[in-house]
Amino acid sequence: MDRTHVEDWLAAYERLWRTPGTDGLVGLFTEDASYQQGPYWTPVVGLPAIARMWEKQRKGPDEVFQMTAEIVAVEGDTAVSRQEVRYGDPVEQEYRDLWVIRFAGDGRCRSFEEWPFWPGQQPASSPDGS
């Protein structure tokens, strides 16, 4: 696994999110892949279940959003990417995500884990306890 493959995979993911249907998921995920939308969420397992989740989560292929990605690390079969996504024009919702992506030997994702953060998740007190 190298940065070029991860960049290509991330671009294909965004392109597919903007495409009607979910047929293209077979090129991104293995048949038995797991997709976890948060660190404590129950993973969605298998391509059919991931397809249902995608259709339920997105508003449709015409959904207005901007997404940027920065690859943080690539080690062996695992990559970590920092995503920033802004939905709407004007922006109605934004997220910063860390994606932990584990790839199978054929280059498709076998395990996907999101760590999503959005405005308003800050603790009530400051980090120094004051």
Side-chain angles (χ1 to χ4, degrees):
M1 190 53 50
D2 60 26
R3 286 185 177 279
T4 300
H5 178 79
V6 176
E7 287 170 355
D8 292 346
W9 190 92
L10 292 168
Y13 181 105
E14 180 179 353
R15 199 168 37 252
L16 185 57
W17 193 262
R18 296 178 185 276
T19 302
T22 57
D23 292 342
L25 285 172
V26 70
L28 289 181
F29 294 93
T30 61
E31 191 66 35
D32 61 347
S34 67
Y35 192 120
Q36 193 172 5
Q37 293 177 284
Y40 296 103
W41 291 38
T42 302
V44 175
V45 179
L47 213 43
I50 293 171
R52 287 189 301 274
M53 181 269 301
W54 267 48
E55 287 297 3
K56 187 175 180 181
Q57 292 293 315
R58 65 182 179 173
K59 291 182 181 174
D62 297 328
E63 184 174 24
V64 176
F65 71 94
Q66 297 82 41
M67 185 169 93
T68 60
E70 173 191 1
I71 298 170
V72 176
V74 178
E75 180 71 30
D77 67 351
T78 304
V80 177
S81 179
R82 180 175 180 253
Q83 312 299 121
E84 290 193 25
V85 186
R86 292 179 173 84
Y87 289 95
D89 184 18
V91 175
E92 300 165 0
Q93 180 66 53
E94 63 183 270
Y95 295 93
R96 288 188 178 169
D97 265 327
L98 289 177
W99 290 359
V100 180
I101 311 160
R102 290 186 173 85
F103 292 94
D106 65 2
R108 294 181 299 160
C109 175
R110 64 180 172 83
S111 173
F112 183 91
E113 181 181 350
E114 283 189 78
W115 289 69
F117 299 89
W118 54 88
Q121 284 187 297
Q122 298 171 336
S125 62
S126 67
D128 64 3
S130 58

